[in-house]
Amino acid sequence: MADSLRSKEVLDGPDRAPHRALFRAMGHTDEDLSKPLVGIANPASDVTPCNVHLDELADESKAGVDAGGGLPLEFGTVTISDVIATGHEGMRTSLISRELIADSVELVALSECLDALVVMGGCDKNLPGMLMGAARLDVPSVFLYGGTMLPGHHAGEEVTVQDVFEMLGKYRKGEIDEAELEALEHDACPGKGSCAGMYTANTMASLAEGLGMSPPGAATPPAESDDRIDAAFEAGEVVMQALEADVRPSEILTRATFENAVALCAAIGGSTNAVLHLLALADEVDVDLSIDDFDRIMRETPQICNLRPGGTYVMADLHRDGGVPVVMKRLLDAGLLDGDVMTCTGRTLAENLDALDLPEPDPDVVRPVDDPLYESGAIVILKGNLAPDGAVIKVTGDKEFRFSGTARVFDDEGTAYETIQNGGVDPGSVLVVRNEGPQGGPGMPGMLDVTAALVGQDLDDDAALCTDGRFSGATRGPMIGHIAPESYVGGPLAAVRDGDAIEIDIPERRLHVDVDDDELQARLDDWEPPEPEKESRVIAKYGSMFGSAAEGAVTSANWGK
């Protein structure tokens, strides 16, 4: 290890005396400067409960690095709150923050010649952004999650922020009063951590462990628990072990590893955003992963976890029942995972699992593979004349679901939301919300306001939604997103008109508008892209660089790879 340290570029020899002088200004000694430099990428912030406690975890990771003989150097990155950003212009920044976090990690690690990284994350886009940054650098790296929030309690039931969004629909219908809504607001989110269900942050934490970028058992401990503190210290220890063994992300993030992660996503009932983020991460390491792989693996892998939003339990319940290792062990024993893939511990997945004393989980939380909650995973990829490059839907109930309805077209999310909440959507409608893709949004905003409004208005059995935007991990119901190509670049969604018949066929994996090819093409020939709105500079800059959702909506799409 010592002869290959990147940090020698800034620490060794007479020519680096000025560099060492700045390290000494920070109180570092000769002994410190003989150690590997280990970056601790910490997006701690007061803007979201997901990240408000990360400084404490960063200190524990630094202690773990120090115990392993490294010199920990902490640096910050941006974060946003996906929930607080929802429903206004701020949601356009969400996917941009993923790219900016990855860029920040890359910039700091390159400029400082860091030898290894502990990358931390709390809110949704932190997780893929940190993993993408580590993958670009390809230095020994470990991902540390900030941990899940515990569920709240209201009227004798466990509740999460999902319930607050959905209760808004009932409030607008007059089924509850403002006092009841306010009481739920006070009860739903009791403390620090990421939203409690198997939403996007908890999904991506689980998949980071499944990818081998986090130590076994690191995904599920709640933010406010001793187990989370222990996981933070372990991350520092493990990254030093990875550095000693020279285990890099390029050795961990292989085609087989990504297939394992997709299978795990199926088993836990993970968020549709996993499609976007795994595709983006695969792009960073030049692994050929496509949306068709998601559909194939989801068909082959049962869902065995009964977790929100489609189920009953939350991440803390999964932790009490053995966490991600219990799920992966069941998949491995059933031949649904490749156990030979390498992990950040320097051991294979199978070796990691064999070393654990795993409990027998509550079968209502984690079911056996041969008696699953559902025979296949929840995420389905649709194609057809409305989505030639693909679209994504999460089906947590009837896998034979079919729906035919009449298009109700909206050119932006806000108008659709107000129409739903004001009772302006009829049963049998298929809402088409366009110009919300990676470039058209720009930033591919998540639409939890809109999807929760449909559920809250009790329309989720009688109406559907199609959009080139994306959804929150808390979304449920017949909501189709990631439609590609997006309308802003002339995708077929741009040609849909009010009154067109749209067919959704889950068994056939089909999304079709009942307009013949010639008429559809004629409409597209007459179509003109919408006049761009004046955006903030960061939204305009990153928005112009996004690629297709079918390829992860990465800003590297224009690099000429």
Side-chain angles (χ1 to χ4, degrees):
M1 174 183 70
D3 292 336
S4 61
L5 291 177
R6 293 157 50 95
S7 57
K8 285 180 172 292
E9 183 69 24
V10 294
L11 293 179
D12 281 10
D15 290 344
R16 295 305 185 232
H19 305 63
R20 293 190 297 273
L22 291 185
F23 277 99
R24 297 186 195 286
M26 295 182 282
H28 296 305
T29 65
D30 285 343
E31 182 183 0
D32 292 335
L33 300 184
S34 69
K35 298 175 181 179
L37 303 184
V38 181
I40 311 290
N42 175 17
S45 174
D46 290 341
V47 303
T48 170
C50 310
N51 294 47
V52 72
H53 61 301
L54 293 188
D55 280 339
E56 180 182 5
L57 300 184
D59 287 344
E60 290 294 325
S61 286
K62 289 163 72 174
V65 169
D66 183 68
L71 177 61
L73 301 174
E74 184 178 351
F75 62 94
T77 75
V78 301
T79 188
I80 68 159
S81 165
D82 268 47
V83 171
I84 296 172
T86 290
H88 58 93
E89 184 185 25
M91 182 41 69
R92 304 188 192 285
T93 69
S94 174
L95 198 61
I96 291 171
S97 76
R98 182 190 76 178
E99 302 298 297
L100 188 53
I101 289 166
D103 291 348
S104 298
V105 172
E106 182 180 18
L107 285 170
V108 173
L110 284 174
S111 66
E112 303 293 320
C113 292
L114 300 179
D115 298 306
L117 290 165
V118 174
V119 290
M120 302 171 59
C123 201
D124 295 4
K125 303 310 173 296
N126 295 181
L127 291 85
M130 289 291 180
L131 290 167
M132 290 162 66
R136 289 180 194 175
L137 271 300
D138 199 29
V139 297
S141 301
V142 171
F143 176 78
L144 171 64
Y145 183 39
T148 184
M149 184 184 293
L150 295 170
H153 292 85
H154 179 77
E157 301 288 337
E158 286 193 346
V159 291
T160 73
V161 72
Q162 173 191 347
D163 297 282
V164 186
F165 275 100
E166 293 180 1
M167 193 67 76
L168 280 169
K170 298 188 183 300
Y171 168 70
R172 295 291 282 264
K173 285 179 68 177
E175 294 181 4
I176 64 165
D177 60 18
E178 189 171 356
E180 172 64 11
L181 180 62
E182 184 177 354
L184 177 61
E185 169 194 333
H186 281 267
D187 293 341
C189 300
K192 302 168 187 174
S194 302
C195 298
M198 190 52 75
Y199 311 141
T200 300
N202 282 331
T203 295
M204 293 309 300
S206 300
L207 301 190
E209 185 177 327
L211 287 164
M213 292 295 291
S214 295
T220 54
E224 298 183 285
S225 71
D226 291 341
D227 287 347
R228 176 53 57 196
I229 297 296
D230 292 343
F233 186 86
E234 183 185 18
E237 288 185 310
V238 170
V239 79
M240 293 308 298
Q241 295 165 11
L243 181 59
E244 180 65 34
D246 198 27
V247 178
R248 299 170 182 259
S250 57
E251 186 179 358
I252 297 169
L253 298 174
T254 64
R255 167 76 185 197
T257 303
F258 280 101
E259 292 201 353
N260 282 352
V262 177
L264 177 60
C265 187
I268 62 177
S271 165
T272 54
N273 286 307
V275 179
L276 207 64
H277 300 324
L278 287 178
L279 288 172
L281 183 58
D283 178 79
E284 298 288 356
V285 290
D286 293 324
V287 167
D288 182 18
L289 186 72
S290 77
I291 57 172
D292 295 327
D293 293 316
F294 283 82
D295 198 69
R296 171 180 57 82
I297 296 168
M298 289 281 168
R299 288 177 187 258
E300 298 169 351
T301 311
Q303 181 178 336
I304 62 174
C305 293
N306 180 18
L307 303 170
R308 283 176 169 244
T312 304
Y313 296 95
V314 296
M315 188 73 150
D317 296 309
L318 179 59
H319 181 62
R320 284 191 293 269
D321 281 273
V324 171
V326 163
V327 181
M328 296 190 75
K329 186 69 166 66
R330 291 194 166 185
L331 295 178
L332 181 66
D333 289 346
L336 296 170
L337 294 182
D338 185 337
D340 293 331
V341 296
M342 182 54 62
T343 73
C344 63
T345 66
R347 300 185 297 272
T348 66
L349 170 65
E351 289 169 341
N352 281 342
L353 294 176
D354 285 344
L356 299 176
D357 183 17
L358 298 175
E360 184 65 27
D362 179 346
D364 202 34
V365 179
V366 182
R367 301 197 59 78
V369 170
D370 59 2
D371 184 22
L373 197 65
Y374 301 110
E375 293 292 337
S376 59
I379 294 175
V380 170
I381 305 300
L382 305 178
K383 291 189 175 180
N385 70 347
L386 199 51
D389 293 342
V392 179
I393 183 173
K394 184 175 180 179
V395 183
T396 55
D398 180 13
K399 298 301 173 69
E400 299 300 311
F401 177 81
R402 292 179 172 88
F403 187 89
S404 295
T406 303
R408 181 78 183 277
V409 180
F410 299 91
D411 286 326
D412 64 89
E413 174 192 2
T415 305
Y417 176 71
E418 287 303 318
T419 301
I420 297 165
Q421 292 290 49
N422 290 327
V425 174
D426 296 325
S429 298
V430 177
L431 281 69
V432 173
V433 183
R434 61 193 178 195
N435 303 319
E436 300 290 4
Q439 291 188 41
M444 203 180 181
M447 296 188 186
L448 183 54
D449 269 356
V450 173
T451 60
L454 282 172
V455 174
Q457 293 273 358
D458 297 321
L459 286 167
D460 49 312
D461 290 329
D462 302 311
L465 172 67
C466 294
T467 181
D468 46 12
R470 60 181 181 82
F471 300 128
S472 162
T475 292
R476 59 191 178 101
M479 318 296 179
I480 300 168
H482 305 206
I483 290 177
E486 62 176 293
S487 61
Y488 188 77
V489 299
L493 205 65
V496 178
R497 296 176 179 172
D498 284 338
D500 288 343
I502 293 178
E503 302 170 15
I504 302 164
D505 191 324
I506 300 303
E508 296 298 324
R509 300 301 199 260
R510 186 167 179 259
L511 179 61
H512 180 80
V513 58
D514 193 15
V515 176
D516 68 52
D517 293 345
D518 290 341
E519 170 64 15
L520 198 62
Q521 188 58 54
R523 292 182 187 181
L524 289 173
D525 289 342
D526 290 339
W527 169 81
E528 293 184 3
E531 194 69 28
E533 297 181 12
K534 182 173 177 56
E535 304 284 358
S536 73
R537 289 194 176 190
V538 69
I539 293 175
K541 177 171 65 176
Y542 274 87
S544 67
M545 294 189 291
F546 276 119
S548 170
E551 298 171 349
V554 293
T555 53
S556 61
N558 296 327
W559 294 355
K561 282 192 172 184

